Amino acid sequence: MAQYVYGRHVAKRALKDRKKIFNIYLAGHDQEIEELARNNHVKVTICDKKTLKKKCGSDKHQGVVIEIEDYKLYSVDDIVQNKKDKHGFIIMLDEMEDPHNLGAVLRTADAVGADGVIFKKTHNAGLTPTVAKISVGAIETVKCAAVTNLTKTLQDLKKQGYWVLGADMDGQDYRSLDYDFDAVLVIGNEGKGISRLVEKQCDYIVSLPMKGKISSLNASVSAGILMYEIMSKRTPIQ
């Protein structure tokens, strides 16, 4: 299966990672991308912006659309068995529906060195062209797993020694934990938060203190703060 994705960063990342690319469409010459395409023996076609928009369904293509093999999904075992550090670090998304939020989460997950991201096969943003563009290439570097049942997945992870952290407004201050354990950070739906069954599996509920008049943060912003807190607690200053 193939799909169209767009944006200069996405195209360059795919070319540098040697991802299987079938075609590249440009709205004008781009020396860097054309050179990468030649090195990868990928055909480049120059066409107008209307054609690019028709192919990718967006006018935010930055003059670059590529036809690639579908993004690979991994198993949860693939993520668990390839820890990047002493303690595992997995992000789980409980029905995060906005592709912009998913793209932002993937970008931050790459930045903090998380092992992977798990989300549901249904009722969750998938690995789409929009996610690819927002992630600025992190869709290629962060292992993603799509599962049928988040509760069952958490139960399996807990049997393997993981502790589950749920992000919610009514919990303990996120700065109060040391995070010196294998962790699954659960981020809920943009409006409803974490579902009841998933919350039951959480060992800790952590909250971000709010001093202003706005009662909540964007889901990907909250996820970013919590991911960096976990990395900060685990990584000594050099």
Side-chain angles (χ1 to χ4, degrees):
M1 295 290 289
Q3 66 172 304
Y4 291 105
V5 295
Y6 54 90
R8 294 191 78 254
H9 288 295
V10 174
K12 288 193 293 181
R13 183 78 271 158
L15 285 161
K16 289 176 180 177
D17 288 346
R18 306 283 178 173
K19 184 172 178 64
K20 188 172 183 180
I21 300 173
F22 303 109
N23 292 288
I24 297 178
Y25 301 92
L26 299 176
H29 290 287
D30 186 310
Q31 184 176 349
E32 183 179 8
I33 289 178
E34 289 179 82
E35 184 176 347
L36 286 168
R38 281 194 298 272
N39 293 339
N40 286 272
H41 309 290
V42 179
K43 179 183 176 182
V44 174
T45 301
I46 305 297
C47 52
D48 58 55
K49 292 182 179 180
K50 287 184 179 180
T51 300
L52 296 188
K53 182 178 179 179
K54 185 176 180 180
K55 286 185 179 298
C56 71
S58 173
D59 58 3
K60 298 180 180 180
H61 46 67
Q62 299 176 326
V64 184
V65 173
I66 59 175
E67 184 183 7
I68 63 169
E69 190 174 42
D70 277 345
Y71 286 106
K72 181 179 179 180
L73 286 168
Y74 294 81
S75 70
V76 175
D77 284 342
D78 287 331
I79 295 173
V80 170
Q81 292 170 11
N82 290 279
K83 291 181 185 178
K84 295 178 181 177
D85 291 306
K86 176 183 176 182
H87 296 301
F89 185 14
I90 297 171
I91 293 92
M92 177 178 280
L93 306 178
D94 185 3
E95 298 192 6
M96 181 176 281
E97 298 173 323
D98 187 340
H100 292 83
N101 279 335
L102 176 54
V105 166
L106 291 177
R107 188 172 181 178
T108 308
D110 174 87
V112 302
D115 299 318
V117 173
I118 299 171
F119 48 78
K120 286 182 69 174
K121 290 180 179 179
T122 58
H123 307 295
N124 204 96
L127 302 185
T128 65
T130 299
V131 172
K133 185 174 187 302
I134 298 300
S135 78
V136 196
I139 196 171
E140 297 277 8
T141 62
V142 178
K143 289 184 172 68
C144 293
V147 300
T148 302
N149 189 312
L150 294 182
T151 300
K152 176 66 166 57
T153 301
L154 286 175
Q155 290 171 343
D156 291 341
L157 288 168
K158 291 174 77 166
K159 289 176 183 176
Q160 297 179 69
Y162 281 81
W163 292 72
V164 182
L165 310 160
D168 191 74
M169 293 176 62
D170 299 317
Q172 67 189 89
D173 192 309
Y174 76 105
R175 297 166 294 183
S176 63
L177 294 174
D178 289 329
Y179 304 106
D180 54 348
F181 46 76
D182 292 342
V184 182
L185 173 63
V186 182
I187 305 297
N189 174 272
E190 290 87 351
K192 298 177 292 185
I194 298 173
S195 62
R196 181 178 57 83
L197 291 176
V198 169
E199 186 175 355
K200 282 187 174 182
Q201 298 301 319
C202 294
D203 299 296
Y204 299 99
I205 297 295
V206 293
S207 301
L208 299 169
M210 305 290 293
K211 291 189 174 182
K213 295 182 180 180
I214 306 302
S215 61
S216 64
L217 290 171
N218 171 276
S220 63
V221 172
S222 298
I225 294 170
L226 294 169
M227 280 190 263
Y228 261 96
E229 176 69 6
I230 293 171
M231 185 188 76
S232 174
K233 288 289 181 66
R234 292 178 174 184
T235 308
I237 298 174
Q238 300 295 323

